[in-house]
Amino acid sequence: GGGCSPPPGDFGERGGQLDFSDDKGHKPARRSAKATIEAMIQEYRLSPGCAWMLRALPPDKQKLASRIDPSGQADPSGFVAEQLKRIV
């Protein structure tokens, strides 16, 4: 098992506007979900379709997706895609 509750302090993403100004990051200590996902795509050479699905997620779902660990999987893209179906 394990706690599935999100970490405290969601970053006040209210309203439907996409805000890409967080690339500089106010909290250098913790990587953003977006950065973690980009690293995952690079590290596991995920398929373009899988990468697109990850990038298309809203921020709260990206936080969940950033916890997916495809290490040791024969087909990382397939594994991530399966996990995403549970999240979305």
Side-chain angles (χ1 to χ4, degrees):
C4 292
S5 59
D10 74 17
F11 304 109
E13 283 137 351
R14 300 285 174 265
Q17 280 179 310
L18 285 174
D19 181 19
F20 295 112
S21 64
D22 63 349
D23 288 340
K24 292 178 184 63
H26 324 297
K27 301 190 181 96
R30 183 183 291 182
R31 264 202 312 194
S32 70
K34 201 185 296 182
T36 306
I37 283 170
E38 288 300 323
M40 190 196 306
I41 291 166
Q42 298 294 319
E43 187 176 345
Y44 297 103
R45 295 182 176 85
L46 299 181
S47 70
C50 195
W52 182 87
M53 279 170 25
L54 284 166
R55 292 177 179 131
L57 293 171
D60 58 323
K61 298 273 199 290
Q62 281 191 345
K63 280 186 199 130
L64 295 172
S66 68
R67 296 187 190 140
I68 297 172
D69 180 16
S71 62
Q73 298 294 328
D75 177 13
S77 296
F79 176 77
V80 171
E82 279 302 312
Q83 297 297 311
L84 285 178
K85 285 178 193 165
R86 295 179 193 176
I87 291 172
V88 176

